[in-house]
Amino acid sequence: IAHCKNQSHILLAAMKPWQLTHVVASVIFPDLCQGSFPNCTFESCPVCLAHGQRSLLAIEGPDGEAYTSAFRIGRCAAYWDSQSIISTVLGILVSEKLGVAVEYVPADDEASATLAMSNCQNWMSGECKQVIVDSVSAKAAFNGPANGTKLFEDPMPDMMFHSEIQDWARRDIEYSMVDWTKTHLASAGAVGFISEDHLYAFRDIVEEAWNGTHVALAYWRTYTTPLASSYFDTPNQLMSAGVSPEILGCSSSEEYVQVGMDTLTELGYTCTKESWWLTPACAALGDAWKHECIPVFDDDWGYIKGPLYKGMAESGMRLAKITLGYDLHYDLISGYKHRVLFHWWDTDTMFYGRRPVIVNMPARGTKDEPPSKIVYAPALAASEQLRVLVNNLFITNDDLNQLLSHAATARDAELFNNNPHMFQKVACGWLRANPELVASWLPDARTCPPAQAYDDSTAKCKICPLGTYSARNESTLVRECVPCFPGHFCVKGATSPLVCPRGSYANTSGHGECMRCLPPSYADTTGSLGCKSCGQIIPGATTLFAAATSKITPVLWPDFTRPDDVFIRSYTCHVDCNFLVPFNITTQMIQSMLGWLRDLPGLSLPSLVAEDAISKVLDYVITGSSPQTQDTESSASLSQIVSSTASGMYSRTPSLLTQTNQVVVIADHSNTESVATAFVLCKMVAQLTIQDPSLTPRYLRPDEDIPLCVKICIFIVSDGVFFEAPFVKSVLQATRIESMVLPVIAQDSFRFPGKPFFEEYQKRALSMLAPHGILEAPEVLAQLIDTMFKEIAVVFSPQDSEALLKVKSQTIADRLMRRQMTNLSVISLGSKPAEFSHEEAEEEDHADETAEVVEAII
């Protein structure tokens, strides 16, 4: 060590055993000091990118005290190569680039790993017998061996690449001891790649069928006919060979198994006495299913492939499915012991050697969300550099395919088995070949993510404050916080200035929000630097005022139908009124005007009218006198035209325009971060729903009710949002129109509602909401909140990187296009739905009411 340049002497006696290992490696490979590294092989891969001392993290324990520990990464070594390799990629970077000690924790089951990060004893067995809360158990769990003993057998991971986020909602039932609102679990965003479930066939069988009789076994429709059966073993042959399911029977006391069985039953599958599950087309064959249906091997009841199962059932495919369990499934498929179809996913190396062929289905089965980075939040809080690296890590499907191709080669060469260096070798080779990508993940002055900038005083990336935006300096390539220029405003964490809307201005740089033009002034263009003097009333208001104070008569064309209450309530579904907002013209004003105008007496023109009849109508409109004529024919026409009252005008229902904006985004208007999230979400998702404009999300303004035409409500949830009266009113309105709901989490600190939340909510909700006119029982409101979170929530923060926001935006767009989200049902309210507030007003003189509206507009 002494002869290495720029390296201090180290007191060996004070070093930990893992530190000594690296010192020994430096002695064995002295060229490490010069920046070159030994070849990384399957037998040995001690150093990949950099050498040096590794430090422990000071992690806050569940008891509030700080404990020193390595950063522990949960790694699946048995069935999920992609997760294991990516875990090792991160481990190498944390250890060798950040200098933080890393420990890999065997965690084959994702659900149990979640329990581990929730501080549960016996997590490896999928149990939570005791939650670590006191100092004694925390020290034992975080520090490992102490005084020769250890309280818990298994170290707890601080991070896990996780694909079962949707299971969190069910864990309140499965692990009642865990208070999920206090577990410090957090998501660091998506890993990047998308994992897709498929139905596979062996390539040999597919090629045999095509070359022999041109039967296309890679196409789903082939399996709706008897053509495919001759190329596969029959279920009867498999049963004779001793192939049997993992779980016997058509029901189970194991909850996760029963959930899978219930899913198949709901999709129309039939369970046989032999515990096979038949698609409807297969079951229709009766006892002949054992000889005519194609067998499908599935791996595990805990891994439900809902969209794929649905496609198999609804497409008419004659399939008989049997669930074998992971071990038997892998043994039978990898050994090619039977001619069958089988389930697996495509981001895995398990069966690469067989080169299986995907059976093209009517709708491919894709998981709802890409795998996520789930972390024990205090571990990331212990190191800003670690937090930046974990958040920036983003591996695409192309990146992953490169990694998996090397892993597949190693697996085929039998280098995988019992080899601790396998993942290190594959990950290291890929990291060395992609230095630019690695550099983009690491925290330094040039790699601050969008919305942040490099702070020289702390040598860390920080979010740009209000009034500035993050921009990269073209000469230094370093992100800086640049003041917003005039005519624009910048929210906290902005990546670009936002132009001031009409009716507002920003006359200097550095504005966090635009200033509104006050009467009698206005700004009729976006990006204004100041306001203009009105000088006179705007023409539209003048006309409306004159209409309200004069006798007028509407002239109705033959194809015109007076609007009814439904049309007026849903007016914003058909017409975008946002351009009137700068003039303080609200939706309620417009709706009141339409109601007044609708009820005025008018003249209904017939389809054919003589010229002099038109003249007499004009005379009537101008003078207000009844038309007089000696022309019998004209008199007859005019008698049909003139109508003295508005009654009888509703003989037909108005034909509504094509309904648009079926999706609205509801934010907590008292929370700037929530509003910013709503705006960014609307902008990014709109680019992905161009093919269906009705799904383009629209931001719901504070003074606006949810239009009746809305089918999907995206709720931006944040801390304390369910105690905000306007937000709760929107939830109730969404319930009354039975809208589908998609919750979006805007803050990392937000915790999913659990038992403690609902207990507190039922105590406080009435006192906080009743003064605002919300009188529903707290139990009913709690039920609605619980129903909302039965839908998988999406974490969407404007502070994330642009690449990550694009992935999350695509996830939201996909969910909108599927239209299969949870409905908030009016039945939940336990009473007949109330009408919206603007419908409850008593009828008044419409002319007086409109005059008041006009005064407000002016």
Side-chain angles (χ1 to χ4, degrees):
I1 298 175
H3 68 262
C4 290
K5 294 181 180 180
N6 302 321
Q7 193 158 328
S8 302
H9 291 280
I10 300 176
L11 184 61
L12 298 184
M15 297 180 69
K16 302 291 184 183
W18 51 267
Q19 292 173 325
L20 287 171
T21 302
H22 286 280
V23 172
V24 172
S26 297
V27 175
I28 296 175
F29 305 110
D31 58 342
L32 293 183
C33 303
Q34 306 300 326
S36 59
F37 304 104
N39 183 35
C40 189
T41 68
F42 288 109
E43 288 72 33
S44 176
C45 192
V47 179
C48 178
L49 301 175
H51 60 282
Q53 189 167 322
R54 311 288 186 258
S55 61
L56 298 174
L57 295 175
I59 301 176
E60 181 183 347
D63 58 341
E65 296 186 23
Y67 300 96
T68 55
S69 171
F71 184 62
R72 293 168 294 195
I73 304 174
R75 183 166 68 178
C76 294
Y79 298 109
W80 196 9
D81 293 346
S82 55
Q83 193 275 349
S84 299
I85 295 171
I86 295 175
S87 297
T88 309
V89 166
L90 176 64
I92 292 174
L93 295 177
V94 172
S95 174
E96 301 190 18
K97 286 296 187 179
L98 303 188
V100 175
V102 169
E103 178 184 356
Y104 297 109
V105 177
D108 289 341
D109 183 82
E110 299 166 277
S112 60
T114 304
L115 295 178
M117 290 182 284
S118 304
N119 306 316
C120 287
Q121 183 184 2
N122 289 3
W123 65 270
M124 186 61 86
S125 301
E127 300 174 343
C128 191
K129 291 185 176 179
Q130 174 184 339
V131 179
I132 302 171
V133 292
D134 59 273
S135 296
V136 175
S137 58
K139 288 178 181 178
F142 276 76
N143 285 347
N147 301 324
T149 63
K150 186 178 180 182
L151 181 60
F152 299 108
E153 294 181 359
D154 304 306
M156 296 183 173
D158 298 313
M159 178 171 177
M160 184 80 179
F161 292 104
H162 205 302
S163 68
E164 295 183 352
I165 305 304
Q166 61 268 34
D167 286 350
W168 286 16
R170 293 201 295 265
R171 289 180 186 141
D172 279 334
I173 301 173
E174 296 178 20
Y175 307 106
S176 57
M177 176 178 287
V178 182
D179 182 352
W180 297 103
T181 65
K182 300 178 181 179
T183 57
H184 302 293
L185 279 179
S187 171
V191 182
F193 69 89
I194 304 294
S195 182
E196 295 181 327
D197 303 320
H198 293 290
L199 182 64
Y200 289 92
F202 289 108
R203 183 172 296 273
D204 292 348
I205 301 176
V206 173
E207 292 178 350
E208 174 190 339
W210 181 253
N211 294 334
T213 57
H214 287 285
V215 173
L217 295 182
Y219 182 48
W220 65 271
R221 196 176 294 276
T222 304
Y223 298 92
T224 64
T225 70
L227 292 174
S229 59
S230 62
Y231 294 98
F232 293 91
D233 293 343
T234 66
N236 189 62
Q237 289 173 325
L238 294 175
M239 286 185 279
S240 300
V243 177
S244 61
E246 178 187 27
I247 305 295
L248 295 176
C250 300
S251 62
S252 174
S253 59
E254 293 284 349
E255 182 174 355
Y256 78 96
V257 176
Q258 190 59 51
V259 169
M261 292 180 173
D262 290 343
T263 299
L264 292 176
T265 301
E266 291 169 3
L267 293 174
Y269 284 75
T270 299
C271 180
T272 71
K273 62 181 181 180
E274 295 86 0
S275 304
W276 288 62
W277 291 80
L278 314 182
T279 62
C282 175
L285 298 174
D287 293 338
W289 73 269
K290 296 181 182 180
H291 306 281
E292 298 183 26
C293 292
I294 309 299
V296 178
F297 284 179
D298 203 351
D299 48 273
D300 186 72
W301 281 110
Y303 184 17
I304 300 173
K305 309 162 188 70
L308 190 56
Y309 298 157
K310 183 178 181 181
M312 291 163 49
E314 294 182 352
S315 62
M317 299 173 73
R318 298 158 36 137
L319 305 176
K321 191 178 81 69
I322 178 174
T323 302
L324 303 171
Y326 277 121
D327 291 332
L328 182 57
H329 182 266
Y330 169 69
D331 180 59
L332 295 182
I333 300 302
S334 61
Y336 193 8
K337 297 181 179 180
H338 301 286
R339 298 169 67 91
V340 296
L341 299 175
F342 61 94
H343 289 316
W344 204 249
W345 61 91
D346 67 351
T347 52
D348 189 78
T349 63
M350 195 67 72
F351 305 121
Y352 264 27
R354 292 294 174 192
R355 298 167 58 235
V357 175
I358 296 173
V359 177
N360 292 304
M361 302 289 290
R364 290 172 59 186
T366 305
K367 290 185 179 179
D368 287 337
E369 295 186 28
S372 297
K373 296 168 282 192
I374 307 303
V375 296
Y376 179 64
L380 290 192
S383 168
E384 174 65 14
Q385 287 191 320
L386 178 62
R387 187 194 67 80
V388 171
L389 171 58
V390 171
N391 276 285
N392 287 352
L393 181 74
F394 193 85
I395 295 180
T396 66
N397 279 75
D398 289 340
D399 298 329
L400 185 60
N401 285 333
Q402 293 179 22
L403 284 162
L404 293 184
S405 64
H406 297 298
T409 301
R411 186 177 286 281
D412 291 343
E414 298 184 355
L415 295 170
F416 241 73
N417 298 332
N418 301 319
N419 194 328
H421 302 290
M422 210 324 281
F423 298 122
Q424 187 85 0
K425 157 67 177 174
V426 172
C428 179
W430 183 80
L431 286 171
R432 289 178 177 179
N434 293 275
E436 293 183 0
L437 180 60
V438 171
S440 70
W441 297 339
L442 296 172
D444 64 24
R446 292 178 300 172
T447 57
C448 288
Q452 299 188 17
Y454 194 71
D455 186 347
D456 290 321
S457 62
T458 61
K460 296 178 180 178
C461 297
K462 289 192 173 181
I463 296 174
C464 288
L466 196 69
T468 66
Y469 67 98
S470 173
R472 193 180 297 279
N473 186 304
E474 295 299 330
S475 59
T476 63
L477 300 181
V478 174
R479 282 195 174 275
E480 302 171 347
C481 291
V482 181
C484 243
F485 38 88
H488 296 72
F489 69 101
C490 296
V491 298
K492 180 181 179 181
T495 57
S496 61
L498 299 173
V499 66
C500 289
R502 287 188 292 265
S504 64
Y505 70 98
N507 55 355
T508 61
S509 59
H511 276 271
E513 59 181 350
C514 299
M515 295 176 286
R516 183 172 293 279
C517 293
L518 301 177
S521 65
Y522 69 99
D524 56 353
T525 61
T526 60
S528 296
L529 304 182
C531 300
K532 303 175 184 178
S533 175
C534 286
Q536 61 180 2
I537 300 173
I538 61 173
T542 303
T543 303
L544 187 58
F545 181 78
T549 56
S550 306
K551 175 174 171 34
I552 69 168
T553 301
V555 177
L556 311 181
W557 290 89
D559 59 350
F560 175 76
T561 302
R562 289 180 183 260
D564 63 3
D565 290 339
V566 173
F567 179 84
I568 294 175
R569 286 204 308 271
S570 61
Y571 188 69
T572 54
C573 296
H574 318 300
V575 180
D576 184 1
C577 300
N578 288 325
F579 72 97
L580 294 174
V581 172
F583 302 106
N584 294 320
I585 299 177
T586 67
T587 301
Q588 285 79 5
M589 291 179 179
I590 297 171
Q591 291 170 329
S592 296
M593 182 272 293
L594 289 173
W596 165 77
L597 190 61
R598 173 194 63 186
D599 295 336
L600 286 177
L603 300 178
S604 298
L605 293 177
S607 57
L608 295 174
V609 182
E611 182 176 350
D612 68 332
I614 291 293
S615 299
K616 292 178 174 58
V617 170
L618 292 176
D619 182 64
Y620 174 75
V621 171
I622 294 171
T623 64
S625 60
S626 299
Q628 302 294 328
T629 178
Q630 302 301 319
D631 188 321
T632 305
E633 182 179 348
S634 297
S635 298
S637 298
L638 288 174
S639 66
Q640 298 172 8
I641 294 171
V642 179
S643 172
S644 60
T645 68
S647 61
M649 288 298 185
Y650 306 99
S651 58
R652 54 195 176 106
T653 303
S655 57
L656 300 183
L657 302 176
T658 301
Q659 294 193 351
T660 59
N661 290 122
Q662 295 182 10
V663 181
V664 294
V665 180
I666 298 103
D668 175 8
H669 301 291
S670 66
N671 185 322
T672 304
E673 187 172 357
S674 177
V675 175
T677 300
F679 278 118
V680 174
L681 185 150
C682 286
K683 181 177 181 180
M684 298 191 71
V685 175
Q687 301 171 13
L688 304 173
T689 57
I690 296 176
Q691 68 273 26
D692 188 349
S694 69
L695 295 178
T696 300
R698 182 173 69 83
Y699 173 70
L700 196 73
R701 299 192 304 272
D703 62 343
E704 189 177 2
D705 288 327
I706 299 177
L708 296 181
C709 61
V710 166
K711 304 298 183 186
I712 303 173
C713 291
I714 300 176
F715 286 97
I716 309 296
V717 296
S718 53
D719 291 334
V721 71
F722 295 109
F723 290 103
E724 296 294 332
F727 191 88
V728 175
K729 286 181 179 179
S730 295
V731 174
L732 292 171
Q733 289 180 6
T735 303
R736 288 166 183 143
I737 64 175
E738 299 189 9
S739 164
M740 289 181 282
V741 62
L742 174 59
V744 171
I745 298 172
Q747 294 177 323
D748 291 338
S749 59
F750 180 80
R751 294 289 176 265
F752 287 94
K755 185 177 179 181
F757 166 82
F758 289 119
E759 291 176 349
E760 179 187 10
Y761 193 76
Q762 294 186 30
K763 294 177 182 177
R764 297 174 52 200
L766 188 60
S767 62
M768 297 184 69
L769 300 177
H772 302 279
I774 300 177
L775 302 178
E776 276 77 10
E779 295 82 2
V780 173
L781 298 177
Q783 179 187 351
L784 292 178
I785 297 170
D786 182 55
T787 301
M788 178 184 297
F789 283 95
K790 289 180 180 177
E791 182 64 32
I792 303 166
V794 178
V795 179
F796 190 97
S797 172
Q799 301 168 9
D800 288 334
S801 66
E802 184 176 0
L804 181 54
L805 286 176
K806 286 183 177 178
V807 172
K808 293 183 177 180
S809 298
Q810 185 64 61
T811 298
I812 294 172
D814 291 343
R815 300 267 288 278
L816 295 179
M817 286 186 279
R818 284 200 296 270
R819 292 183 174 91
Q820 295 178 349
M821 288 157 281
T822 301
N823 278 85
L824 287 179
S825 173
V826 72
I827 298 176
S828 303
L829 295 179
S831 62
K832 182 179 179 180
E835 301 293 337
F836 291 129
S837 58
H838 63 262
E839 296 174 3
E840 296 173 349
E842 297 180 357
E843 292 186 1
E844 300 176 355
D845 183 84
H846 291 294
D848 293 341
E849 179 182 334
T850 307
E852 294 176 5
V853 172
V854 172
E855 282 188 340
I857 295 174
I858 296 173

